[in-house]
Amino acid sequence: MQTHIPRPARTLIALAAASLCVAVAHAQEQSPYYIGVSQSVQYDNNVFRTSANQSTDTISRTGLTAGLDQRLGRQRVFADGDAEINRYRKNDSLDNKSYALRAGLDWETVETLSGTLRYSTRNSLTDFGITEGSRIVSDQVTQQFIANSRWGLPQSLSLDAGYEYRKLTYKNVLLEGRNYSQDTVNVGIRRGTGRLTLGLGVRESRGSTPRYRVSPAPTEDELKRRDVDLTAAWAATGFSTFNARLSRTKETHSIATNAELSETTGALGWNYQLTGKLNLNSTLTRDTGTETTFLTTSPDGTAALPVDSNRLSTTLAVDARYTVTGKTSFSGNVRYRRGTRGDGGNERVTGYGLAVYYTPTRAVSLSCSVATEDRSAAGATGYRATLTGCAGDLTLR
């Protein structure tokens, strides 16, 4: 049987060969800049996330990545971006281009003023299983900008202030009722003593869903939210760190009143370096879907951001990584979300993942992974999906 090499793969091979030639001319000192290429193949046994008549497919992803990480005196600047061409073997109508960009600045003065700036955006393909058996496919674009500043020292009294902007946009007009943006400002104080840091703060948010209702005329839903936050960070040992937030939350809407709430929300995180080779990281959150969508760990590369549209969700995420040797490592994760939708129905999503990584050289990395996701929801479409795949990356610094 004749082997057919897809055009993106041939392009990747040519780029890799050219990059290796360039690498020979580089000095041994590591540069703050890097550029790389990637190729992955993934099998999805339920592309459209339906409960019946599942569509399977094999997806080829060819990507380019570039970035920098540079320290300039007391300041640090970093940025990285990914761009991918995604090809579906059967459902070629889903072929698409995706990208992700992340950038940031860590700054500080000689005295007691410091802060961070963060910006991220991604464009990716998303799809939804609809109860009636139809499906809607659309590009999903997310943006997030965060600016934080602190006056004071970590081990004394400090004043914090910040601003955050987030936006979610679907390009398909059938999903424009899900588009929203939100602005949040916060101010608070912290007090650090030894291994324990305590904080008290207030957050004020304003949000908008411009086309919450399309007929008989487009109508905007306006969100107002206020949080009073108690926070704590405790370095229990040199290997174990806890972070906690307990908030009193009140949220109102101009139209979508079924999403209003007055609840106790919060988050708990634990990072544990069990041994020199094993690391565990876990987070437990209870908050609205709008918050958990942007607070949960973003997926790697240009994959779509998992959107939580629940009125209130409890989310658990556990990640583990075990380094076997300097070249080989394993990772595993568990995801669980239980939520209440605006219509009063319940939703449950469970996911598991396992991956193995092999880095034969500083420039080359290989990986294979398997992940499952299971969703059940009262009065809505449930599904089960399994994804398996392998990837290779070549990065030059």
Side-chain angles (χ1 to χ4, degrees), residues 96-147:
N96 67 93
K97 299 180 179 66
S98 56
Y99 65 81
L101 173 65
R102 297 161 294 273
L105 168 67
D106 297 333
W107 60 271
E108 60 179 287
T109 65
V110 177
E111 298 297 333
T112 56
L113 191 60
S114 61
T116 60
L117 296 174
R118 298 286 187 272
Y119 175 76
S120 63
T121 182
R122 66 174 63 212
N123 182 100
S124 50
L125 185 70
T126 188
D127 55 76
F128 298 89
I130 305 301
T131 305
E132 292 76 16
S134 61
R135 56 178 178 255
I136 302 175
V137 180
S138 173
D139 275 5
Q140 171 192 294
V141 182
T142 57
Q143 295 184 67
Q144 187 175 27
F145 173 74
I146 302 174

Side-chain angles (χ1 to χ4, degrees), residues 333-337 349-353 371-374:
N333 65 74
V334 177
R335 299 287 186 270
Y336 177 79
R337 184 178 81 206
V349 180
T350 306
Y352 306 93
T372 64
E373 185 175 304
D374 191 333

Side-chain angles (χ1 to χ4, degrees), residues 3 49 59 72 248 276 377:
T3 301
R49 303 298 185 263
I59 307 113
L72 305 170
R248 187 58 187 174

Side-chain angles (χ1 to χ4, degrees), residues 26-39:
H26 278 212
Q28 292 299 315
E29 183 179 357
Q30 181 169 304
S31 168
Y33 308 95
Y34 65 87
I35 187 171
V37 290
S38 64
Q39 176 65 49

Side-chain angles (χ1 to χ4, degrees), residues 35-324:
I35 187 171
V37 290
S38 64
Q39 176 65 49
S40 68
V41 177
Q42 186 180 60
Y43 176 77
D44 189 335
N45 77 342
N46 191 356
V47 174
F48 296 107
R49 303 298 185 263
T50 55
S51 58
N53 301 318
Q54 292 92 345
S55 175
T56 64
D57 214 332
T58 301
I59 307 113
S60 171
R61 309 184 191 277
T62 304
L64 177 67
T65 183
L68 67 92
D69 191 337
Q70 178 70 64
R71 181 163 289 280
L72 305 170
R74 294 176 177 268
Q75 327 310 324
R76 173 177 171 252
V77 180
F78 62 92
D80 62 83
D82 302 280
E84 286 186 338
I85 298 174
N86 309 290
R87 302 296 185 193
Y88 288 72
R89 183 179 179 184
K90 298 178 182 178
N91 300 280
D92 55 8
S93 62
L94 299 181
D95 291 352
N96 67 93
K97 299 180 179 66
S98 56
Y99 65 81
L101 173 65
R102 297 161 294 273
L105 168 67
D106 297 333
W107 60 271
E108 60 179 287
T109 65
V110 177
E111 298 297 333
T112 56
L113 191 60
S114 61
T116 60
L117 296 174
R118 298 286 187 272
Y119 175 76
S120 63
T121 182
R122 66 174 63 212
N123 182 100
S124 50
L125 185 70
T126 188
D127 55 76
F128 298 89
I130 305 301
T131 305
E132 292 76 16
S134 61
R135 56 178 178 255
I136 302 175
V137 180
S138 173
D139 275 5
Q140 171 192 294
V141 182
T142 57
Q143 295 184 67
Q144 187 175 27
F145 173 74
I146 302 174
N148 289 315
S149 61
R150 173 174 296 176
W151 182 75
L153 298 174
Q155 292 302 315
S156 63
L157 188 65
S158 63
L159 175 65
D160 296 346
Y163 167 76
E164 179 179 358
Y165 171 78
R166 58 179 66 154
K167 185 176 183 179
L168 172 66
T169 306
Y170 293 99
K171 297 300 185 180
N172 191 321
V173 296
L174 297 177
L175 297 174
E176 61 184 5
R178 300 173 182 258
N179 297 344
Y180 73 85
S181 62
Q182 182 174 306
D183 298 89
T184 301
V185 294
N186 68 276
V187 64
I189 58 173
R190 293 174 188 256
R191 176 68 179 180
T193 55
R195 296 172 181 255
L196 180 64
T197 300
L198 299 176
L200 173 65
V202 177
R203 284 179 290 148
E204 192 80 22
S205 302
R206 295 290 184 271
S208 171
T209 302
R211 301 176 71 87
Y212 178 75
R213 288 178 181 167
V214 179
S215 62
T219 307
E220 178 184 14
D221 178 47
E222 296 181 346
L223 171 151
K224 295 182 180 180
R225 171 170 168 151
R226 175 171 292 178
D227 295 85
V228 179
D229 302 323
L230 294 174
T231 60
W234 179 40
T237 67
F239 307 99
S240 181
T241 304
F242 293 89
N243 289 278
R245 173 181 61 84
L246 184 65
S247 306
R248 187 58 187 174
T249 302
K250 183 176 183 179
E251 181 174 310
T252 61
H253 292 256
S254 61
I255 297 179
T257 55
N258 57 351
E260 294 184 342
L261 58 82
S262 180
E263 297 273 356
T264 298
T265 61
L268 177 64
W270 178 42
N271 184 273
Y272 185 37
Q273 189 71 39
L274 187 61
T275 67
K277 295 185 175 183
L278 179 61
N279 175 262
L280 297 174
N281 189 54
S282 58
T283 58
L284 176 65
T285 62
R286 184 178 190 265
D287 217 318
T288 62
T290 305
E291 291 296 309
T292 58
T293 292
F294 283 86
L295 291 179
T296 52
T297 303
S298 298
D300 294 334
T302 63
L305 193 69
V307 174
D308 181 357
S309 57
N310 288 326
R311 174 182 174 272
L312 190 64
S313 288
T314 300
T315 305
L316 173 66
V318 180
D319 295 273
R321 190 171 186 109
Y322 180 70
T323 303
V324 181

